[in-house]
Amino acid sequence: MKNIFSLLKLTLLMIVIFAMLYPLAIYGIAQFAPNKGKGETVSVSGKVVGYQKIGQKFDKSNYFWGRPSAIEYNAAGSAGSNKGPSNPDYLKAVQKRIDTFLLVHPYLKKSEIPSDIVTASGSGLDPNISPQSALIQVKRIAKVRKLTEGKVQALVVSKIQNPSLMGTPKVNVLELNIALDQLK
């Protein structure tokens, strides 16, 4: 009986800590973050078009495509696929993405496709792609939008975000596509 009361007290203490105090502490810390932890929205002409740090699906040929999502860009369920690199279902999904990419980019070889444009990120919501993934789409975008490749390439280069200290360069797909819509 003595052990049961000890376990009940411990359970109650853990409920108070992890169901009440911890969420309140995180909420309090979030109040010091940009936008008070509610996400950094991106607006065009006063209308919210997306979030700075959450990927969106772009699959039309007149826009740059971002990383695929294992969760269909559902921010409520951020997760990867949990399938390893030798899983047959995963390999089929990646091959399907490669085939689709090559179909729309017939000027490329399979070996020229950067891995980040055909594999989902761990969160399934990565808003960024590598500069290489953006640059290999320039020819398609220029042709569809009737722009010069040089103009589209210059836009991509202007949107490359270099790391402050460590990391790799990246391009935010939403910002790039907004700038592309404003390009004449």
Side-chain angles (χ1 to χ4, degrees):
M1 212 51 168
K2 183 178 177 183
N3 287 339
I4 291 175
F5 284 122
S6 294
L7 290 173
L8 286 174
K9 283 189 224 175
L10 181 61
T11 301
L12 188 59
L13 177 66
M14 292 298 116
I15 288 172
V16 169
I17 290 172
F18 293 115
M20 297 169 147
L21 298 178
Y22 179 76
L24 285 173
I26 296 301
Y27 177 78
I29 292 168
Q31 299 312 298
F32 297 103
N35 210 17
K36 300 198 182 280
K38 293 183 178 147
E40 298 173 37
T41 58
V42 177
S43 299
V44 174
S45 303
K47 181 182 175 193
V48 174
V49 295
Y51 285 87
Q52 177 74 26
K53 297 182 177 159
I54 298 178
Q56 296 180 176
K57 185 173 188 169
F58 287 101
D59 58 359
K60 294 182 180 168
S61 60
N62 61 331
Y63 285 108
F64 285 93
W65 296 355
R67 285 193 81 166
S69 174
I71 56 164
E72 295 303 315
Y73 304 94
N74 179 357
S78 173
S81 70
N82 291 335
K83 294 179 180 164
S86 62
N87 181 292
D89 294 335
Y90 174 76
L91 294 173
K92 283 180 194 171
V94 171
Q95 187 60 52
K96 184 178 176 186
R97 293 174 190 148
I98 291 170
D99 294 343
T100 301
F101 201 81
L102 287 173
L103 187 65
V104 179
H105 303 87
Y107 51 88
L108 292 174
K109 294 181 213 153
K110 182 178 178 178
S111 61
E112 296 173 314
I113 301 174
S115 63
D116 67 307
I117 203 72
V118 293
T119 58
S121 66
S123 70
L125 299 169
D126 194 346
N128 306 310
I129 56 175
S130 66
Q132 297 81 7
S133 291
L135 291 169
I136 64 169
Q137 298 181 66
V138 164
K139 189 172 189 171
R140 169 182 50 89
I141 300 287
K143 183 178 179 184
V144 171
R145 291 193 176 236
K146 296 176 178 45
L147 297 166
T148 66
E149 287 183 34
K151 198 171 195 176
V152 178
Q153 185 170 354
L155 177 67
V156 170
V157 170
S158 75
K159 292 294 177 182
I160 295 174
Q161 302 166 9
N162 289 306
S164 328
L165 225 44
M166 295 184 343
T168 58
K170 61 188 176 189
V171 178
N172 184 288
V173 179
L174 177 60
E175 287 180 1
L176 181 59
N177 284 330
I178 290 170
L180 182 63
D181 278 343
Q182 296 168 349
L183 196 62
K184 302 285 179 203

